Amino acid sequence: MRSAAQIRSEFIEFFKGKNHTFVPSSPIVPKGDETLLFANAGMNQFKDIFLGLSAPSYPRAVNSQKCLRVSGKHNDLEEVGKDTYHHTFFEMLGNWSFGDYFKAEAIEWAWELFTKVWGIDPNRLWATVFAGDEHDGLPEDTEAKNLWTKVTSIPPERVLSFGKKDNFWEMGETGPCGPCSEIHIDLGPERCDLKNVPGHECKVNKGCARYVELWNLVFIQYNRQPGGKLVPLSSKYVDTGAGLERVVSVMQNTKSNYDTDLFMPIINYTSRLSGCKYTSKLGNQTDNAFRVVADHIRSLVFAITDGATPSNDGRGYVIRRILRRASRFGRELGMHEPFLYKLVPVVVDCLGNAFGEIKERSDYVSTVIKSEEESFGRTLDRGIEIFNSAADKAQQSSGKIISGEDAFQLYDTFGFPLDLTQLMAQERNLKVDSEKFAELMEQQRERARASQKNDSFLASLTDTELPVTEDIHKYHLDSCQCKIAGWIDKDGFKKTGQIQAGMEVGLILDQTCFYAEMGGQVGDCGVIDSNNARFIVEDTLKIANCIIHKGKLAEGSMSAGQLVTAIVSKDRAAIKKNHTATHLLQWALQNVLGKSVAQQGSFVGPDYLRFDFTYPKSLTREELKKVEELIREKIVEDLPVTTAVLPREKAQELGAMALFGEKYGDEVRVVAIGDDVSPASSPCLNERGQDALATAFSKEFCGGTHVDKIGDIGGFKIIKEESVSAGVRRITALAGSALNSYLEKASEIVDTLSVMLKVPSDELVDRVEKLLANNKELAKKLKSASKASGSDSLSQARELLDNCQKIGESSIVVGKLSGVTVEQAREAIDMLKKKAQSAAIVLGFDEDGKVTLISGMTNDLVAKGLSAGDIVKAIALIVDGGGGGRPQMAQAGGKNPEKIDEALKRASEIIAEKLNA
C-alpha cells in the first residue's frame, strides 16, 4: 500500500518526467494579495500569469499546494467531521501549462497516472465535460468530450455533460475562465449516504458519497470582460487540481479520508491523550470530535507557520475560530486543559518532510497555540454559563432562537465565534439569530473604520494603469532631476491641468531618488522643487511599479511634463543607520538565542528601530547585554556594507536570509556586512563576489537603504524588550543621533540626581538602593502602627456599643473616637452593624483640626425611614460643615472641632425621635 508521501512524490515525479518544472507551494498566507485571506487553490501563485501581468518562467509546472478553505464560497468549516471527505486544510496536487499543451495532453496524462501508474480500476472512473451555456453563447465542449474516448479507454456512456455550476471555472466576476473536465470515481453502492432520501438518484454530481470527484482539469481559454462578455484568450492555459487526501483514501482503500496515514497518527495520539476510542463512524459525536481536532490542528500548524496569528480581525479571526472550535470539540473527548499544542509534533512527523517550514517553526507554533488555548480556557467556562443562560431563555421563546445580542456578547466578551455558538445551540435543538449578530458585527466594524485614517485618493485607483517610475537613484543619490508624469487626487490619476498651492495629491515622477515604504522601512520625506513651486513630500508609497510622493503643494503651481528637482530629507541618513542596525540586531539575536530566532516584522524610521522576532520567553538582562555588546563590537570594526543582485537560488545557496513567507522574484538584492561584495553587483556573480558573500557575517535579502560602513551607525542601545503576541518578542532600539540625544538626557538626569542626593554619579546606585531599603522599612513600621491604631479604633467602638442607649431591639451607638483615620472609622461601623444586628451609628473625630462625622444604618432601620445621609447632613451644620450620602452609609466634614460633642448629641436626639415615632 502506497503511503501519502509516496503518492505525493509519484505525482510530482510523473509530471517532471513530462518536462514540468517543480514549483514549491506558496505560503498559505498570501503575500501581496489582500483580496485573498488564504491560498485556496493551486493556481493562486500563478494568478499574475493568467491575468497577463507577468510572463511565465517555465511553460509547464507541477506542485502540491497548501490550501485552506474557511471563508467565502470555499468554506468547508461547518462540514468538517460530519462526513468522510470535507477538510479546512488540504493539499492540492496540480499540473499547469502556460500556453504550451492543452486538452489532449491533460486528459491523456491524467488517465495514464490514474490507471497505469497507480493502477486505479478504469471501470470505476467517470469523466464530466462542459455542456455549454446559452446565456454566454458557449457550445458544448465537444473537443474534450471526443478526446476522452479518443486518448483514453473510457466508454462514451461514462463521459457526462454538465452545466456552468459543475463544469465551468472562473477566477472571479471578471478575468480568465474556461470549461473544465472532472474525473470522478465510483466507490460502490454501499457508500451512498443518501439512500433514504426520497427522490435521490445515485449518480455523478448528485451529492452522495458514492461518487467522489478526484481531479479537475480546467481549460482556461476565455477572458470575461467587465460587461460579462467572453472573448477568447490569445494563449490557452491548463490548470488542474486533485485533492491529495481524496486520492490517498482511494489508493489506501479506506472508507474515509480520515482513516488514511495523513490523519490516523493525529487521531491515534489524540486518543492516547483523551483516553477515548475512535471507531470511524459517522453520526457519532465522539468520532466527529476526533475528525474535527485532526483536521483543525493541520490547518493551525500550516497557517501559523506561514505567518497567521490568532486575533479578532481578518485572517487572525479565522485562525482563532478554528483553534477555539477545536478546543471546544476537545471537551467532547474530556480534554479540558490545553492539548492542541501537544499535537504539533505529530503533524510535523506526518508532513514535515514535504514541507520543511513546519519543522523549522514547530516550537513557535506550539507556543502560539498553547498560549491561545490557555487564554480561551480562562473564559470558556464563564462563556458556557452565559450561553446556558441564553439557551434557557431561548427554550422559553416560541421560535427557540438565541438572540443576536446574546451571540454577539459571547463573541465580543468571551471570544466565542458565531459558528461555535451555533454548534452549541444545534446540540440543544436551538437556532441563533445570525442576521442580528451580523448587524451588530457590522456596526462594530463601522466604528473601527470610522476611527481609521482614510487614504481616499488611493481608493480612487481602481482599474487605473499608472506610469512606471525609475527609482534606482534611491540607493545612491539624495537629490535628482526629474519630470512630473502626473498626480493622483480623490478623483483618480491625472496628467492634465495643474496642481495649485494648498492641494494634497500623490505626485508621480518619471524617476526619483525617494524610497517608497517597503520591508519595514518608512517612505522618505522631503521636497520636490521647481523654479516657482515647492511640493512638500510627507510620505512615499509604491503601487505596482509606480512611486507615489504623497504630500502638499506649499507654493506655486505644477503640471505634467514640468522639470523638477527631488530632494530627500536629511532623515535619510538616520534611516540608513537604523536599517543596518536592524540587520546587526537579527545577527546578534541568532548568535545569543539560537538560529530558531526568525524575523516577524520590523519598523525602520529616523527616530528609532523596532524588530519583532520569534522567541518563546522574555530575554534576560544578561542576554540583552550580550546582544548589545556583539553589535557594538561590530560597529567598532567599521566593516563595509555592500550589495549584490543575483539569482534567488544562488543567494540562498550562499546563506542569505529571506524574510519567512515573503514573495521574491527570480533575482534578489542581498545586503552583506563583513566583506566587500562589490564585484558581485550583477546577476553573473564572479568568483571573488561569491567568496565575499559567503564570508560576510550578515547577509539578508533586502531592498532597503543602508550605510556604507557599519561604523557610521555610531552606537546602539536597546531601550525596550516586550511581548507582541504568543511566541513573538519585540525589541525597540536607538542608534545614531537619536541615541546621542537619549544619552544626553540620561546624563542630565544622572547629574540632577547626583546634586539632589549629594553623591558622585558612580555612587548613585548604592545611594538609591539604600533609600529604597529605608523606605521599605518605614512602610513596614507604618503598616504595623496602622494595624495597632485600627485595633484601638475597634476597641473604642466596642466600648461605645457596650454602653449605648437601646430602643427596643435597636442600638443607638453615638460617640467620639480619637486617633483614627476615616478608613478605620468605616471599619468600626461595619463591625458595629454585624455585632448589633440592628443599629443606628454616628461616630465623630477630629483629625488635624478637621471634623469628620460618619454614620451607618442597618437595613432594618433604613426600612423604617432612618437615613445615614439625612442625619450627617443635619448635624454637619453644627460643626460648620456639610455632607451626605446613602441611607446605609454617609460622611460629612466640618471646620469646628469644638462642637463635635454638640453635633453627636443632636444625632442621638434625631435617631431617638425616629425610633419612638
Side-chain angles (χ1 to χ4, degrees):
M1 185 177 71
R2 287 176 170 86
S3 67
Q6 284 177 291
I7 293 168
R8 182 193 302 109
S9 176
E10 287 173 357
F11 181 92
I12 292 167
E13 291 304 316
F14 175 83
F15 282 101
K16 284 171 70 175
K18 305 290 186 186
N19 298 316
H20 288 60
T21 299
F22 172 69
V23 181
S25 171
S26 64
I28 211 167
V29 177
K31 301 293 180 182
D33 186 356
E34 295 306 316
T35 65
L36 196 60
L37 278 180
F38 299 100
N40 59 17
M43 57 71 57
N44 291 153
Q45 66 172 309
F46 305 119
K47 184 176 173 182
D48 286 352
I49 296 175
F50 295 140
L51 291 171
L53 299 176
S54 63
S57 302
Y58 25 73
R60 304 176 179 187
V62 60
N63 86 344
S64 182
Q65 172 65 43
K66 303 175 288 188
C67 297
L68 192 63
R69 289 187 176 175
V70 285
S71 58
K73 66 177 183 178
H74 296 301
N75 186 355
D76 293 334
L77 184 64
E78 295 303 319
E79 302 307 315
V80 170
K82 296 178 183 177
D83 59 28
T84 63
Y85 53 86
H86 275 103
H87 307 292
T88 52
F89 171 83
F90 63 96
E91 289 182 58
M92 185 70 86
L93 303 171
N95 59 290
W96 288 267
S97 167
F98 307 116
D100 187 19
Y101 64 85
F102 203 43
K103 297 179 183 179
E105 293 87 345
I107 291 170
E108 182 180 359
W109 292 340
W111 190 261
E112 179 186 347
L113 179 59
F114 266 1
T115 63
K116 295 180 181 178
V117 176
W118 284 342
I120 296 175
D121 182 359
N123 295 317
R124 298 169 62 197
L125 299 178
W126 293 67
T128 65
V129 297
F130 179 50
D133 185 82
E134 186 177 341
H135 179 265
D136 281 331
L138 294 174
E140 182 180 20
D141 189 0
T142 53
E143 180 186 5
K145 190 170 188 176
N146 293 334
L147 281 168
W148 272 108
T149 55
K150 179 181 177 182
V151 301
T152 79
S153 61
I154 195 169
E157 61 269 20
R158 292 216 306 275
V159 181
L160 310 176
S161 298
F162 292 91
K164 278 176 66 174
K165 178 178 177 292
D166 295 303
N167 281 82
F168 195 86
W169 179 88
E170 302 198 53
M171 181 181 290
E173 292 183 7
T174 60
C177 54
C180 60
S181 191
E182 298 177 339
I183 303 175
H184 295 249
I185 189 167
D186 180 357
L187 298 175
E190 70 279 2
R191 295 291 291 276
C192 179
D193 53 350
L194 300 176
K195 292 175 184 176
N196 300 322
V197 176
H200 170 66
E201 294 181 89
C202 203
K203 295 179 180 179
V204 171
N205 280 339
K206 293 297 182 180
C208 74
R210 173 178 175 177
Y211 293 94
V212 175
E213 175 206 330
L214 290 182
W215 203 341
N216 189 10
L217 317 177
V218 180
F219 308 123
I220 302 174
Q221 59 190 97
Y222 301 106
N223 182 45
R224 190 176 292 280
Q225 297 180 330
K229 183 181 177 182
L230 291 173
V231 295
L233 290 169
S234 56
S235 294
K236 294 180 173 66
Y237 306 101
V238 171
D239 166 16
T240 86
L244 175 66
E245 291 74 11
R246 293 186 181 185
V247 172
V248 171
S249 180
V250 169
M251 298 288 291
Q252 294 183 357
N253 195 30
T254 65
K255 291 183 179 180
S256 164
N257 295 358
Y258 291 95
D259 294 341
T260 67
D261 63 347
L262 287 168
F263 291 92
M264 282 310 299
I266 304 170
I267 289 173
N268 288 335
Y269 196 79
T270 305
S271 178
R272 284 174 52 193
L273 290 175
S274 66
C276 297
K277 187 177 180 181
Y278 179 65
T279 62
S280 193
K281 293 178 181 176
L282 295 179
N284 177 302
Q285 195 169 349
T286 299
D287 284 355
N288 286 358
F290 272 111
R291 287 188 286 267
V292 170
V293 168
D295 172 88
H296 288 11
I297 189 61
R298 288 172 19 121
S299 294
L300 293 169
V301 168
F302 278 92
I304 295 170
T305 291
D306 283 355
T309 52
S311 70
N312 282 333
D313 298 297
R315 294 179 180 122
Y317 176 54
V318 174
I319 298 306
R320 177 161 282 170
R321 282 175 61 199
I322 293 172
L323 194 151
R324 294 187 169 186
R325 196 169 187 270
S327 179
R328 164 68 172 76
F329 272 97
R331 291 189 166 224
E332 299 284 349
L333 302 174
M335 294 186 286
H336 294 263
E337 297 299 320
F339 72 95
L340 288 168
Y341 75 97
K342 297 176 182 177
L343 299 175
V344 174
V346 188
V347 177
V348 171
D349 286 344
C350 290
L351 298 165
N353 289 333
F355 303 100
E357 61 271 22
I358 66 172
K359 275 186 179 179
E360 295 171 16
R361 293 168 70 87
S362 62
D363 289 344
Y364 164 66
V365 172
S366 296
T367 300
V368 172
I369 291 176
K370 185 180 181 184
S371 174
E372 182 70 10
E373 284 188 275
E374 289 172 339
S375 172
F376 186 44
R378 287 191 288 270
T379 61
L380 182 58
D381 290 329
R382 177 60 181 143
I384 288 173
E385 286 179 26
I386 301 298
F387 170 82
N388 287 336
S389 174
D392 290 342
K393 189 166 58 176
Q395 292 280 13
Q396 306 303 317
S397 69
S398 57
K400 308 288 185 185
I401 296 173
I402 292 175
S403 72
E405 290 84 356
D406 286 336
F408 185 77
Q409 183 196 7
L410 283 164
Y411 159 76
D412 199 39
T413 307
F414 300 100
F416 277 43
L418 176 62
D419 49 14
L420 179 56
T421 303
Q422 289 172 323
L423 173 71
M424 294 168 67
Q426 191 178 39
E427 292 170 357
R428 294 182 60 166
N429 296 316
L430 298 171
K431 294 180 180 179
V432 177
D433 185 353
S434 55
E435 288 186 10
K436 183 62 178 179
F437 176 89
E439 180 187 324
L440 294 169
M441 279 292 291
E442 185 55 32
Q443 289 174 10
Q444 188 180 70
R445 291 190 190 103
E446 283 294 334
R447 290 192 293 270
R449 282 193 286 266
S451 67
Q452 293 174 350
K453 185 179 178 181
N454 181 24
D455 281 327
S456 58
F457 81 87
L458 293 181
S460 68
L461 295 179
T462 307
D463 298 327
T464 302
E465 185 176 344
L466 297 173
V468 174
T469 310
E470 173 56 68
D471 65 343
I472 190 66
H473 302 309
K474 65 191 176 188
Y475 295 125
H476 314 294
L477 301 173
D478 290 336
S479 67
C480 69
Q481 302 298 310
C482 39
K483 187 185 293 184
I484 296 175
W487 62 93
I488 301 167
D489 62 18
K490 61 182 176 61
D491 297 319
F493 173 65
K494 295 178 179 176
K495 53 183 178 180
T496 58
Q498 284 191 327
I499 310 169
Q500 300 295 339
M503 289 178 62
E504 294 185 3
V505 300
L507 197 61
I508 300 173
L509 310 174
D510 65 336
Q511 59 179 347
T512 185
C513 54
F514 278 68
Y515 180 89
E517 180 181 350
M518 194 179 302
Q521 180 175 329
V522 298
D524 280 332
C525 300
V527 297
I528 297 172
D529 274 341
S530 71
N531 291 333
N532 62 355
R534 166 166 282 213
F535 184 85
I536 307 299
V537 180
E538 298 167 351
D539 196 7
T540 307
L541 313 171
K542 185 174 184 178
I543 297 178
N545 293 314
C546 179
I547 306 300
I548 300 169
H549 307 78
K550 188 180 172 189
K552 185 176 183 178
L553 189 64
E555 57 185 81
S557 62
M558 287 183 170
S559 58
Q562 186 174 343
L563 293 175
V564 292
T565 302
I567 306 167
V568 178
S569 161
K570 291 180 180 179
D571 284 344
R572 162 74 69 83
I575 293 170
K576 285 182 175 181
K577 292 175 183 179
N578 283 336
H579 202 154
T580 307
T582 304
H583 284 221
L584 290 176
L585 176 57
Q586 177 159 226
W587 164 80
L589 286 167
Q590 289 189 338
N591 271 269
V592 174
L593 305 178
K595 294 298 181 184
S596 63
V597 166
Q599 181 178 346
Q600 286 294 103
S602 65
F603 172 84
V604 178
D607 302 321
Y608 66 95
L609 65 95
R610 193 175 66 217
F611 187 76
D612 297 347
F613 57 98
T614 56
Y615 199 64
K617 57 185 178 181
S618 60
L619 277 67
T620 64
R621 195 171 173 181
E622 291 72 23
E623 287 169 336
L624 290 171
K625 186 177 179 182
K626 182 63 177 175
V627 168
E628 288 180 328
E629 287 173 352
L630 286 173
I631 294 171
R632 289 171 187 154
E633 286 170 6
K634 288 297 181 185
I635 290 172
V636 170
E637 291 179 31
D638 197 22
L639 298 168
V641 180
T642 49
T643 62
V645 178
L646 63 160
R648 184 179 68 245
E649 293 78 8
K650 175 60 72 174
Q652 290 171 325
E653 183 184 315
L654 293 171
M657 281 193 297
L659 179 59
F660 185 84
E662 193 60 64
K663 190 176 182 180
Y664 297 98
D666 292 333
E667 289 182 354
V668 295
R669 180 174 183 262
V670 175
V671 173
I673 309 174
D675 206 344
D676 190 351
V677 298
S678 299
S681 59
S682 77
C684 302
L685 199 65
N686 61 29
E687 190 174 334
R688 160 78 182 108
Q690 289 190 33
D691 291 343
L693 189 57
T695 57
F697 73 87
S698 167
K699 36 193 176 282
E700 296 186 31
F701 289 19
C702 182
T705 59
H706 291 268
V707 296
D708 294 326
K709 288 191 170 185
I710 53 177
D712 295 343
I713 296 171
F716 182 86
K717 174 67 179 173
I718 294 172
I719 59 170
K720 185 188 288 185
E721 190 273 339
E722 59 189 324
S723 171
V724 178
S725 62
V728 179
R729 308 297 302 178
R730 170 174 290 170
I731 281 178
T732 304
L734 301 175
S737 58
L739 174 58
N740 292 338
S741 298
Y742 174 85
L743 295 175
E744 284 175 11
K745 287 179 182 177
S747 179
E748 287 176 9
I749 292 170
V750 169
D751 291 344
T752 302
L753 287 173
S754 292
V755 172
M756 287 174 63
L757 300 176
K758 299 177 182 178
V759 293
S761 59
D762 59 349
E763 294 179 17
L764 267 178
V765 174
D766 288 340
R767 179 69 175 130
V768 170
E769 284 178 346
K770 286 179 181 176
L771 284 172
L772 289 173
N774 291 341
N775 190 54
K776 193 174 180 181
E777 185 61 32
L778 282 171
K780 279 184 182 178
K781 290 179 178 177
L782 282 171
K783 194 172 181 181
S784 298
S786 177
K787 281 182 179 178
S789 175
S791 174
D792 183 55
S793 67
L794 293 177
S795 110
Q796 291 180 61
R798 274 192 290 267
E799 187 175 341
L800 289 173
L801 178 62
D802 291 342
N803 298 296
C804 76
Q805 176 187 357
K806 292 192 78 170
I807 297 178
E809 296 298 319
S810 300
S811 301
I812 303 175
V813 186
V814 178
K816 188 174 180 180
L817 303 179
S818 60
V820 298
T821 63
V822 171
E823 289 76 16
Q824 290 166 348
R826 284 178 173 271
E827 286 178 12
I829 287 177
D830 289 338
M831 179 272 292
L832 289 170
K833 283 182 178 180
K834 288 176 184 176
K835 267 192 159 315
Q837 295 186 342
S838 176
I841 308 158
V842 181
L843 304 176
F845 58 92
D846 170 11
E847 188 176 19
D848 298 326
K850 294 178 181 179
V851 177
T852 300
L853 299 169
I854 300 180
S855 175
M857 297 287 162
T858 54
N859 288 331
D860 64 313
L861 298 187
V862 171
K864 290 181 178 179
L866 273 79
S867 168
D870 291 345
I871 290 173
V872 296
K873 190 174 182 180
I875 65 174
L877 297 172
I878 298 172
V879 291
D880 302 332
R886 295 179 297 111
Q888 289 86 358
M889 179 78 78
Q891 180 177 330
K895 302 173 185 175
N896 191 346
E898 293 178 0
K899 292 193 174 183
I900 290 178
D901 291 334
E902 185 182 337
L904 292 173
K905 181 182 177 185
R906 179 60 187 143
S908 294
E909 291 170 354
I910 293 171
I911 294 168
E913 288 169 6
K914 290 278 186 182
L915 288 175
N916 287 320

